[in-house]
Coordinates of all heavy atoms in Angstrom, one line a residue:
S1256 N -3.4 2.0 -2.7 CA -2.5 2.6 -3.7 C -1.2 1.8 -3.9 O -0.8 1.6 -5.0 CB -2.2 4.0 -3.4 OG -1.7 4.1 -2.0
H1257 N -0.6 1.3 -2.8 CA 0.7 0.6 -3.0 C 1.0 -0.4 -1.9 O 0.5 -0.3 -0.8 CB 1.8 1.6 -3.2 CG 2.2 2.5 -2.0 ND1 1.8 3.8 -1.9 CD2 2.8 2.2 -0.8 CE1 2.2 4.3 -0.7 NE2 2.9 3.4 -0.1
I1258 N 1.8 -1.3 -2.3 CA 2.3 -2.3 -1.3 C 3.8 -2.3 -1.3 O 4.4 -1.9 -2.3 CB 1.8 -3.8 -1.7 CG1 2.1 -4.8 -0.6 CG2 2.4 -4.2 -3.0 CD1 1.4 -6.1 -0.8
V1259 N 4.4 -2.5 -0.1 CA 5.9 -2.4 0.0 C 6.4 -3.6 0.6 O 5.9 -4.2 1.6 CB 6.2 -1.2 0.9 CG1 7.7 -1.1 1.1 CG2 5.7 0.1 0.3
F1290 N 10.5 2.5 -6.8 CA 9.1 2.8 -6.9 C 8.6 2.5 -8.3 O 9.0 3.1 -9.2 CB 8.8 4.3 -6.6 CG 9.3 4.8 -5.2 CD1 10.6 5.2 -5.0 CD2 8.4 4.9 -4.2 CE1 11.0 5.7 -3.8 CE2 8.8 5.3 -2.9 CZ 10.2 5.7 -2.7
H1300 N 3.3 5.1 -7.2 CA 3.8 3.7 -7.2 C 2.7 2.8 -6.7 O 1.9 3.1 -5.8 CB 5.0 3.5 -6.4 CG 5.0 4.0 -4.9 ND1 4.9 5.4 -4.6 CD2 5.0 3.4 -3.8 CE1 4.9 5.5 -3.3 NE2 5.0 4.3 -2.8
F1303 N 6.6 -0.8 -4.1 CA 7.9 -0.3 -3.7 C 8.7 -1.4 -3.1 O 8.3 -2.1 -2.2 CB 7.7 0.9 -2.7 CG 9.0 1.5 -2.2 CD1 10.0 1.8 -3.1 CD2 9.2 1.7 -0.8 CE1 11.2 2.4 -2.6 CE2 10.4 2.2 -0.4 CZ 11.4 2.6 -1.3
H1316 N 4.5 -2.7 4.3 CA 3.2 -2.0 4.5 C 2.3 -1.9 3.3 O 2.8 -2.1 2.2 CB 3.5 -0.6 5.1 CG 4.0 0.4 4.2 ND1 5.4 0.7 4.1 CD2 3.4 1.3 3.3 CE1 5.6 1.7 3.2 NE2 4.4 2.0 2.7
L1317 N 1.1 -1.6 3.6 CA 0.1 -1.4 2.5 C -0.5 0.0 2.7 O -0.8 0.4 3.8 CB -1.0 -2.5 2.7 CG -2.1 -2.5 1.6 CD1 -1.6 -2.8 0.2 CD2 -3.2 -3.5 2.0
A1318 N -0.7 0.8 1.6 CA -1.1 2.2 1.7 C -2.5 2.4 1.0 O -2.8 1.7 0.0 CB -0.1 3.1 1.0
H1348 N 6.1 12.9 2.7 CA 7.2 12.3 1.9 C 7.5 13.2 0.8 O 6.7 13.6 0.0 CB 6.8 11.0 1.3 CG 6.6 9.8 2.2 ND1 7.5 9.4 3.1 CD2 5.5 8.9 2.4 CE1 7.1 8.4 3.8 NE2 5.9 8.1 3.4
C1353 N 3.3 12.9 -0.8 CA 2.0 12.8 0.0 C 2.3 13.0 1.4 O 3.4 13.0 2.0 CB 1.5 11.3 -0.2 SG 2.6 10.1 0.6
F1355 N 1.3 11.6 5.1 CA 1.2 10.1 5.5 C 1.0 10.0 7.0 O 1.3 10.9 7.8 CB 2.5 9.4 5.1 CG 3.7 9.8 5.8 CD1 4.0 9.4 7.2 CD2 4.7 10.6 5.2 CE1 5.1 9.8 7.8 CE2 5.8 11.0 5.9 CZ 6.1 10.6 7.2
Y1357 N 1.3 6.2 9.4 CA 1.4 4.7 9.4 C 1.0 4.2 10.8 O 1.4 4.7 11.8 CB 2.8 4.2 9.2 CG 3.5 4.6 7.9 CD1 4.0 5.9 7.6 CD2 3.7 3.6 6.9 CE1 4.6 6.2 6.4 CE2 4.4 3.9 5.7 CZ 4.8 5.2 5.5 OH 5.5 5.5 4.3
E1367 N -1.0 2.3 6.0 CA -0.6 3.7 5.8 C -1.8 4.5 5.2 O -2.4 4.1 4.2 CB 0.5 3.8 4.8 CG 1.0 5.3 4.5 CD 2.1 5.3 3.4 OE1 2.4 4.3 2.9 OE2 2.6 6.4 3.2
D1369 N -2.6 7.9 3.2 CA -1.9 8.9 2.4 C -2.9 9.9 1.9 O -4.1 9.6 1.7 CB -1.3 8.2 1.1 CG 0.0 7.6 1.4 OD1 0.6 7.9 2.5 OD2 0.5 6.7 0.6
Ligands
FE2_529 FE1 4.0 3.9 1.6

Side-chain angles (χ1 to χ4, degrees):
S1256 52
H1257 64 259
I1258 190 165
V1259 177
F1290 298 86
H1300 55 289
F1303 176 49
H1316 72 264
L1317 183 65
H1348 290 307
C1353 69
F1355 65 77
Y1357 298 74
E1367 177 184 8
D1369 279 342

